[in-house]
């Protein structure tokens, strides 16, 4: 083996190239990276991405994959925090620029940690929608549940990214016979367009408005929940669901909820 190849194998990361970048708002971007053949992940997991710092050193952050397990590229969706060490640098990059990718995907935010049920509720704030975009490209998820509800809660309507991509999921040829199962429920908490849900997710759960809007009833026997986004939202939603009789899935103790803090 030559020295360069040996060094590459020993390194914990690979260097990937940005091939596409989309700016949804001044605070939200999505980008596509080249994918090394050896990079494996399960839908719902995250990667660690790194950028060099000007004075030397690197900054690394966790990012959930939005793309499918079987795609030849890796897609991500990112907040831009104006003085954030990673995202303010990321926002200045463009196609052709490079990002470091830790070789190992991480995390346990996976649908298969939930026991069988009829309805899958995917609840997100902000960039917490990212892992669901990957999960919803797994054909087995569509077969496993009778109904899937994706609720995306943001401050302003302009932050409801991926609406066309979500609509297209309903007619994807890989799970065409199940496409009708998906309901997308946008939630806007500040200046919501008329008719749109406009309360935070825990309040919508407590009032029954989320279930009513989906035309479903929630019950521990048949409802399963995934929570991702603002850590305070995850905490408040978890607490509200516990009040309603649901509990978190733990190792060797299947429950109704799996969760991931978005930072
Ligand atoms: C498991 C995991 C998965 C993650 N997946 C994603 C992802 O898919 N997309 C993504 O944008 N970020 C994700 N994050 C957050 C990400 O790792 C960074 O924190 C974020 O990109 C900002 O990095 P930064 O260095 O610019 O700012 P940081 O110094 O990391 O954060 C500064 C502050 O910005 C706020 N903040 C950080 N991330 C977010 C966010 N996503 N949305 C709203 N406010 C935020 C918080 O108030 C935080 O204290 C994830 C974090 C974890 C732990
Ligand atoms: N998006 C903006 O316009 C904006 C403007 C200035 C600064 N920022 C900064 O940018 C970062 C990201 O903002 P963001 O809007 O993407 O994320 P965010 O603050 O997490 O808000 C996203 C959604 O989550 C809701 N939410 C917040 N806390 C919650 C809780 N405890 N329970 C349930 N829902 C909750 C928000 O509702 P509420 O609207 O009720 O809070 C909003 O609908 C933040 O650090 C913020 O300070 C954002």
């Amino acid at each position: 083996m030559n020295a360069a190849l040996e060094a590459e194998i020993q390194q914990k990361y690979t260097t990937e190239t940005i091939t596409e970048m989309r700016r949804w708002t001044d605070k939200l971007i999505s980008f596509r990276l080249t994918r090394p053949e050896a990079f494996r992940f399960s839908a719902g997991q995250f990667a660690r991405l790194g950028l060099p710092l000007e004075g030397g050193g690197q900054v690394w952050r966790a990012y959930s994959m939005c793309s499918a397990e079987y795609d030849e590229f890796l897609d991500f969706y990112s907040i831009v925090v104006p003085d954030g060490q990673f995202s303010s640098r990321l926002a200045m990059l463009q196609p052709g620029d490079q990002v470091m990718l830790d070789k190992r995907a991480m995390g346990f935010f996976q649908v298969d940690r939930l026991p069988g049920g009829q309805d899958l509720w995917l609840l997100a704030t902000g960039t917490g929608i990212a892992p669901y975009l990957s999960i919803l490209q797994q054909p087995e998820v569509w077969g496993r549940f009778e109904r899937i509800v994706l609720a995306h809660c943001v401050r302003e309507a302009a932050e409801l990214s991926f609406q066309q991509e979500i609509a297209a999921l309903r007619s994807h040829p890989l799970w065409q016979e199940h496409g009708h199962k998906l309901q997308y429920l946008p939630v806007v908490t500040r200046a919501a367009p008329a008719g749109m849900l406009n309360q935070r997710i825990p309040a919508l759960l407590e009032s029954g408005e989320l279930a009513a809007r989906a035309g479903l009833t929630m019950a521990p026997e048949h409802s399963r929940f995934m929570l991702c986004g603002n850590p305070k939202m995850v905490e408040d939603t978890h607490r509200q669901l516990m009040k309603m009789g649901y509990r978190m899935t733990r190792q060797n103790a299947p429950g109704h909820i799996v969760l991931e803090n978005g930072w």
Side-chain angles (χ1 to χ4, degrees), residues 46 59 61-64 77-79 81 84-88 127 130 260-263:
F46 63 91
V59 52
R61 290 290 183 269
Y63 273 90
S64 303
Y77 180 47
S78 180
I79 186 82
V81 182
Q85 227 191 349
F86 186 93
S87 63
S88 63
T127 59
E260 178 105 288
N261 285 315
W263 60 88

Side-chain angles (χ1 to χ4, degrees), residues 79-94:
I79 186 82
V80 180
V81 182
D83 51 359
Q85 227 191 349
F86 186 93
S87 63
S88 63
R89 287 177 173 77
L90 177 74
M92 290 192 292
L93 302 183
Q94 46 193 321

